[in-house]
Amino acid sequence: MSNTPPKVALLHEWFDSYAGSERVVEQMLEVFPQADLFALCDFLKPEDREFLKGREVTTSFMQRLPFAKRTFRGFLPLMPLAVEQFCFDPFDVVLSSSHCVAHGALTRADQLHISYVHSPIRYAWDLQHQYLRESGLSWGIRSMIVRMILHYMRLWDRTAADRVDHYVANSHYVAKRVQKTYRRPCEVIYPPVDVEAFPLQTEKQDYFLTASRLVPYKRVDIVVEAFQKLPKQRLVVVGDGPDMEKIKRLAGSNVECVGYQSHAELRQWMQGARAFVFAADEDFGITPVEAQACGTPCIAYGVGGSLETIACGQTGLHFPQQTADSVVDAIERFVKDPNRFEPERIRQHAEQFSASRFQQQMQAFVHDRWQDHQRSMSLS
């Protein structure tokens, strides 16, 4: 069995922004700095490319399709074909970062494929009906065409799942969906959060904070509705998006919509807030962890990643339903006893999701699985 480090290929679906999954890729590249990088397409703006540190990205034929820069997501039916065209022959380990098709890469028996799953294709599986409803595709010819495409994606996705040697999920919430969808066991390594960029601040000001992209599934609307019923409490809304006008219409005099804020400005808002309010159903949820790194307690919808990142009664509170009344009840419980939440303890809790912890766990996992893989190949 060789002690030579394996040659690693890192496969990501696409690069068009620097968001949660790209932060995971960034830390994977810290663990495997010599890895070659692959993606179906790469449309990152020059100012967003810093995390790749000058690395070239090998892309698929999708990069050259007409109007791909603006509409590449519309080429979903071509993505399985595109990911299967990558040749990974020179590599020992293929590490895929997958929320759509990256786990479907073709590898040989002597190669090891580890897939870090942000989620199975949610709009093709458990969220199909919600996706169709919110897209106005519940009825009609277009609905039938989209349903056929999603049916095809499910068939391919289930077949592709068997190509992976080991699955890793970003939360136990996602691991359960992997087990349900793919019938495969799944380890959990929480994604990296840059807690060092959100220093502890123990003195808080008299406002609550919510921050996210203003899109329907983030449910910022119910947070704002809740504060309509809490006129003595102040809410600051950070973020921009399609729902901005709706949020402004709902906002009373005690709600301040400040729009998009820079990283430094968001950090200041988080550091000063009495509590961070979060109403989305997220697979993990990086923003609440960033708030906790500042020593700020979180009041969050008690489903999904929030159950794993927020210790109810210690670093925040959960509310059971995505309704304004449920948020109101949680805020009132918080206001009755705000001193129960100690900023230093909240910060300590957030540190377990740090980037350094992710790097250590990912490096150990890939090393151990590669050693096991070599042993099994030597016996065959």
Side-chain angles (χ1 to χ4, degrees):
M1 185 172 62
S2 172
N3 290 321
T4 304
K7 190 171 183 182
V8 177
L10 177 50
L11 170 63
H12 189 55
E13 251 100 23
W14 53 73
F15 291 111
D16 73 322
S17 65
Y18 178 59
S21 62
E22 286 73 32
R23 296 185 193 189
V24 171
V25 171
E26 179 181 21
Q27 296 304 320
M28 287 178 172
L29 290 171
E30 291 293 324
V31 177
F32 306 105
Q34 304 304 317
D36 285 23
L37 192 55
F38 295 79
L40 300 184
C41 48
D42 174 14
F43 297 119
L44 280 172
K45 298 176 182 177
E47 61 268 25
D48 293 334
R49 303 191 68 83
E50 184 178 351
F51 76 101
L52 296 181
K53 297 181 178 178
R55 292 179 177 86
E56 291 187 7
V57 181
T58 300
T59 57
S60 74
F61 65 80
M62 286 187 60
Q63 184 78 21
R64 299 176 294 278
L65 291 175
F67 312 109
K69 187 173 183 178
R70 288 186 287 112
T71 62
F72 69 88
R73 288 179 177 84
F75 295 116
L76 177 65
L78 295 179
M79 290 181 183
L81 176 63
V83 80
E84 292 174 350
Q85 302 313 302
F86 287 123
C87 178
F88 295 112
D89 286 352
F91 302 97
D92 302 304
V93 175
V94 174
L95 180 58
S96 60
S97 164
S98 184
H99 55 76
C100 186
V101 298
H103 67 295
L106 300 178
T107 55
R108 301 188 310 268
D110 62 321
Q111 294 173 306
L112 178 67
H113 183 182
I114 297 173
S115 187
Y116 187 91
V117 182
H118 307 281
S119 174
I121 314 175
R122 297 203 71 178
Y123 45 86
W125 290 99
D126 53 320
L127 292 186
Q128 173 185 290
H129 301 294
Q130 178 181 331
Y131 164 75
L132 293 171
R133 185 170 58 251
E134 292 178 354
S135 301
L137 293 169
S138 297
W139 304 97
I141 298 297
R142 290 179 62 231
S143 174
M144 292 179 61
I145 294 172
V146 172
R147 289 172 190 270
M148 289 174 62
I149 291 171
L150 295 179
H151 176 70
Y152 155 72
M153 291 300 298
R154 283 191 294 274
L155 295 177
W156 178 87
D157 192 40
R158 186 59 190 85
T159 299
D162 292 335
R163 301 172 188 173
V164 176
D165 294 296
H166 299 282
Y167 277 103
V168 183
N170 63 359
S171 66
H172 291 282
Y173 186 50
V174 170
K176 289 178 181 177
R177 291 213 305 274
V178 170
Q179 293 164 353
K180 170 76 172 181
T181 305
Y182 300 151
R183 305 297 180 184
R184 296 287 302 279
C186 188
E187 300 288 331
V188 174
I189 298 178
Y190 289 121
V193 180
D194 189 3
V195 296
E196 300 307 316
F198 292 85
L200 171 67
Q201 181 170 303
T202 57
E203 298 202 5
K204 304 300 180 182
Q205 300 175 37
D206 191 21
Y207 65 87
F208 292 83
L209 175 70
T210 189
S212 76
R213 180 161 166 74
L214 301 183
V215 292
Y217 86 93
K218 293 291 188 178
R219 299 314 312 269
V220 175
D221 58 327
I222 67 169
V223 178
V224 174
E225 286 178 24
F227 278 81
Q228 287 180 341
K229 304 178 181 183
L230 297 165
K232 294 183 179 180
Q233 307 299 335
R234 179 187 172 208
L235 173 69
V236 174
V237 180
V238 172
D240 200 355
D243 274 8
M244 172 60 90
E245 292 307 314
K246 175 183 177 181
I247 297 302
K248 286 183 176 180
R249 287 195 301 269
L250 291 171
S253 59
N254 62 327
V255 177
E256 181 180 5
C257 299
V258 298
Y260 170 80
Q261 301 284 280
S262 69
H263 181 276
E265 291 167 329
L266 175 60
R267 180 177 62 218
Q268 289 182 330
W269 285 116
M270 283 185 170
Q271 288 176 318
R274 295 178 66 184
F276 183 81
V277 187
F278 189 71
D281 175 359
E282 292 279 18
D283 298 328
F284 177 75
I286 288 176
T287 312
V289 179
E290 293 172 338
Q292 289 174 94
C294 298
T296 300
C298 289
I299 300 170
Y301 179 40
V303 168
S306 294
L307 293 176
E308 300 176 52
T309 61
I310 300 165
C312 191
Q314 300 176 28
T315 71
L317 296 173
H318 293 135
F319 52 89
Q321 297 176 319
Q322 279 183 314
T323 64
D325 287 341
S326 195
V327 176
V328 168
D329 177 70
I331 298 292
E332 290 177 338
R333 283 186 285 131
F334 176 86
V335 170
K336 285 179 181 177
D337 189 14
N339 295 325
R340 69 192 288 192
F341 301 105
E342 301 172 7
E344 294 85 355
R345 186 177 185 180
I346 296 171
R347 166 73 187 193
Q348 186 177 20
H349 174 77
E351 288 173 346
Q352 68 178 299
F353 303 105
S354 69
S356 60
R357 181 272 321 159
F358 174 86
Q359 291 176 16
Q360 292 168 4
Q361 291 183 343
M362 182 58 66
Q363 184 174 45
F365 185 86
V366 174
H367 175 271
D368 291 347
R369 299 295 85 76
W370 174 240
Q371 294 293 315
D372 293 344
H373 186 74
Q374 285 185 296
R375 279 191 288 270
S376 67
M377 291 304 298
S378 67
L379 295 174
S380 60

